[in-house]
Every structure is written in C-alpha cells, then in structure tokens.
Amino acid sequence: MLRIMLCGARDTERFREDFVQVAAGFEAEVWHYLSGDILHINHAQASWETNSRDTVRNAHVCVFLIVEAYGEITWQTELREALAAGKPTLVFCLEETYRTYQVLTRKASAIRDPDDQRLVDVIREVESERRLTIVPFSYGTFRDRLKRQLARMIQRALGLMEERNKRTAVAQILNETARLSRSELAVSTDIALDEFENKIWRKQAIRALAAHGGTDEESILALLASLEQGVQRLAVELLPRLYVPRPADPEFVAHCVTVANRSADVGLTRRLIPALLAVDLPVAVHAMSTLELVESGARRRLAEALEAHERDLSDPLVVEAACTLLARCLTPESEADWKARCRLLHERLSFRREPLAGEPEQ
C-alpha cells in the first residue's frame, strides 16, 4: 500500500482532514505524528528524532506543510532525512505565510521576532539552498492542490517505469545490432549516456551505436567525459566508428586531446593516440602538438602509431608536425626497441620534409 507522510508543525492539524481525504482517494496509508501513525519503538533511549527518521525512510512520499508555526523536527530532521534518502517530496506553504516571508526578506536586518527569523530561515533553506519548489495554497485550495501534485508525481513515476521498460527491452537485443530500429538506437544512446545505468548495458549500447554508423558529437564528448573508466576507454577505442564525419572537425579532435590531458588515466591517452590517427591523420597529427607525453607508454604508443601510418604521411606540413611529435618521444632515457625504431622513422621523415625557411636543403 502507498504510504504518504505529512510533515509539519502542530498547526498542520487544520489541514489534516483534507490530507486524509486526498490520501484515501489514492488508497494510501496516512502517516502523521498528531495521530500517532509513525514508526516508533518505546525504550529508555527513544526519541522523536529517531522515530521521525524511521518513518521518513519507510514512507513512499513525504508532504511538508508550512502553515505558520515552526517545527524543529520537521525541518532539522525529517526534511534532511527525506532528501538524503531520495524520497519524493512535496512542499506546500500557506499563501499568507509566504507573503509574510517575502516582506520579511526585504527587511531581514530588522527582524526581531525569533519566530519570524525561523520562518525566513526555513523557507530560504527550502527555496534557495535546497532548490525545492514550494506550492502555495489558501484555506480552500489545499485539498485540490495536494491531489493535483500527487497525481503529477504518479504520472511522472509511470513515465519512468515506461522508460525503464523500453530500456530493458532494447537491452535484450543490443548484441544483435542488425535488429535495432531507429527508435531503438535512440534508446541505446540514452542507455550509453546514463551514468547511473548498468555498466554492461552501457558498453553494449556503445558497440551497437558504433556498428550502426556512430552518433553525434555531443554524445561522443559526453561518453569521453564519462565517470565510468570502462565506458570512457571503450568510447575512445571505438572513436573511429562512433565519429563518422570526414574530414574531422579540428575543434572536436582538439577537444579529445584536452580530455586526455585532463584525465588521470594513462590508459586513456594510450588508446586515444591510434584512435585519433585513424579518424583523420592530418588533423590528429596537428592536434597532438598539445598532447601531454609525460608517460613513457604514451610516447611509445605515439611512435608506433606514426610508424604504422608512415606511408600516409605525404603532406609536408603534416610530415613536419609528425617529426616534431617524434622528437618529443625521443627523451634521454635508456634506449628501448621502440625508441630505436622511432629514431629511424624520425630520420626517414626528416629527409622527406621540406626545409624550413633559412634551413639548408638535405
């Protein structure tokens, strides 16, 4: 059964019957401290705060009501517990009280009455700090306002259930990419981008998008910035198939390099180097002039990737930029096999590039 909790000071008694009638219309169980309908265990260390927290945690919906008086447990315990627990929350305020609050805020430094100050503090916390929407009501409208807000909340919940059902259905066929329709690919994008979604589903969705011709730049950049390392790395590996415009947009490629520079994951940079060169060799070579190469594995990967593309390096400006990158890879550390190959490639490309102004021809 749906459990709805009414939270507020003692003066919420004026609206308790309206609250009970609306809750009954939804076949809901009503919880309210005035009637004793809260979870409690009586013992030597029992407290209203503990009982209130337990009740909030077990309620499905919490309705906070500001009439005139200030209830310390309501705002110091119940509201904070509801928000921390992620409970669906509604906040109502009597119109007269809200108007009083607006007047008081304009002369905040002149407030002398402690009750007025508490009222200002509560509504300011709810609205400005917590960013919750307050629903105003008058003595004759609380019942209708509450009914409408609960109905909207249920409508929203049903919409989320519908979205969940669609995602579950699409997840069943993510490995069968040929079966995905255009609308199912749109759902796949939603799955891939959702940071709270199942990680396996997200990876499958990314592979499905890559198999179907990629996705838009905004979505790709969101995947590259994912907080989930596995998702981020997979997006980089599949970048040549996720990002399809050719020639590539230099700004997009530069942004990818920036993402790698900001990341603490050295594996991301290593994967990005061959991926960007596969997307657009000339654009990537120029963009990598700002790529941080403090890690030896990244330098090795860059040298090997440029070696693999040696035959495609023909434009003199691109060759010049590639030589600059190779020179950055040749650090004075102990010689390794890849460095020897890197040195030879640098020498070969140096003979092919055009001499710079004032530089003798080779």
Side-chain angles (χ1 to χ4, degrees), residues 174-178 180 185 204-215 238 241-242:
L174 281 174
N175 288 328
E176 305 172 58
T177 56
L180 292 172
L185 283 171
Q204 290 174 333
I206 293 171
R207 293 189 180 94
L209 293 172
H212 275 265
T215 185
L238 297 179
R241 294 164 63 193
L242 286 171

Side-chain angles (χ1 to χ4, degrees), residues 189-205:
T189 301
D190 293 336
I191 293 174
L193 296 176
D194 190 345
E195 290 292 311
F196 300 99
E197 187 55 272
N198 181 291
K199 182 172 69 173
I200 295 176
W201 285 12
R202 295 185 70 190
K203 289 184 174 182
Q204 290 174 333

Side-chain angles (χ1 to χ4, degrees), residues 40-307:
H40 63 278
I41 299 177
N42 292 325
H43 53 80
Q45 283 75 43
S47 71
W48 281 109
E49 288 83 0
T50 300
N51 293 340
S52 293
R53 287 193 189 95
D54 290 342
T55 308
V56 168
R57 282 195 292 264
N58 285 276
H60 294 121
V61 180
C62 293
V63 177
F64 289 85
L65 189 56
I66 304 172
V67 182
E68 293 173 357
Y70 169 82
E72 183 172 353
I73 291 179
T74 297
W75 305 110
Q76 298 301 318
T77 300
E78 292 172 343
L79 177 64
R80 296 178 183 184
E81 185 66 31
L83 296 178
K87 297 295 180 181
T89 300
L90 295 172
V91 183
F92 293 86
C93 182
L94 188 65
E95 288 178 347
E96 294 176 11
T97 301
Y98 193 78
R99 284 195 294 270
T100 301
Y101 158 74
Q102 291 176 315
V103 171
L104 290 171
T105 53
R106 288 195 288 270
K107 55 175 184 177
S109 60
I111 297 177
R112 296 292 181 265
D113 189 325
D115 291 334
D116 288 343
Q117 186 61 59
R118 282 194 289 265
L119 173 65
V120 169
D121 292 342
V122 165
I123 299 183
R124 181 186 292 130
E125 178 183 358
V126 170
E127 264 192 337
S128 301
E129 297 177 20
R130 303 287 185 175
R131 301 295 177 89
L132 304 180
T133 299
I134 293 178
V135 180
F137 70 94
S138 61
Y139 279 99
T141 63
F142 176 66
R143 186 184 308 174
D144 290 338
R145 295 285 173 87
L146 175 60
K147 185 188 301 183
R148 187 178 300 114
Q149 292 299 321
L150 287 173
R152 288 177 179 174
M153 187 175 285
I154 292 174
Q155 182 182 25
R156 173 64 175 161
L158 292 174
L160 292 174
M161 287 177 62
E162 180 181 337
E163 179 65 23
R164 188 76 234 161
N165 292 339
K166 285 195 298 185
R167 291 192 183 191
T168 302
V170 169
Q172 305 305 313
I173 57 174
L174 281 174
N175 288 328
E176 305 172 58
T177 56
R179 293 179 56 187
L180 292 172
S181 65
R182 182 174 299 179
S183 62
E184 288 167 336
L185 283 171
V187 175
S188 300
T189 301
D190 293 336
I191 293 174
L193 296 176
D194 190 345
E195 290 292 311
F196 300 99
E197 187 55 272
N198 181 291
K199 182 172 69 173
I200 295 176
W201 285 12
R202 295 185 70 190
K203 289 184 174 182
Q204 290 174 333
I206 293 171
R207 293 189 180 94
L209 293 172
H212 275 265
T215 185
D216 60 277
E217 286 188 21
E218 184 178 351
S219 297
I220 295 172
L221 293 176
L223 291 172
L224 295 181
S226 174
L227 299 176
E228 175 56 56
Q229 185 185 73
V231 167
Q232 191 180 38
R233 286 185 171 188
L234 180 61
V236 169
E237 290 174 6
L238 297 179
L239 190 59
R241 294 164 63 193
L242 286 171
Y243 180 78
V244 295
R246 301 292 187 273
D249 181 356
E251 289 188 8
F252 171 80
V253 177
H255 191 100
C256 293
V257 172
T258 300
V259 170
N261 287 341
R262 291 175 178 173
S263 175
D265 177 18
V266 296
L268 185 69
T269 301
R270 295 179 185 179
R271 288 168 171 79
L272 183 65
I273 290 168
L276 282 183
L277 292 177
V279 168
D280 191 315
L281 181 61
V283 173
V285 168
H286 287 295
M288 287 183 188
S289 64
T290 60
L291 181 65
E292 294 182 3
L293 296 173
V294 295
E295 195 263 329
S296 61
R299 296 193 295 271
R300 177 177 61 82
R301 187 67 62 91
L302 177 55
E304 292 174 346
L306 288 173
E307 184 180 30

Side-chain angles (χ1 to χ4, degrees), residues 4 28 30 236:
I4 306 178
V30 175
V236 169

Side-chain angles (χ1 to χ4, degrees), residues 313-346:
L313 293 169
S314 57
D315 183 287
L317 293 177
V318 179
V319 171
E320 178 65 31
C323 286
T324 301
L325 288 176
L326 290 168
R328 293 176 59 201
C329 294
L330 293 170
T331 56
E333 300 169 1
S334 58
E335 192 78 2
D337 177 62
W338 72 266
K339 280 192 180 180
R341 300 202 318 273
C342 174
R343 195 178 303 281
L344 290 174
L345 177 58
H346 183 266

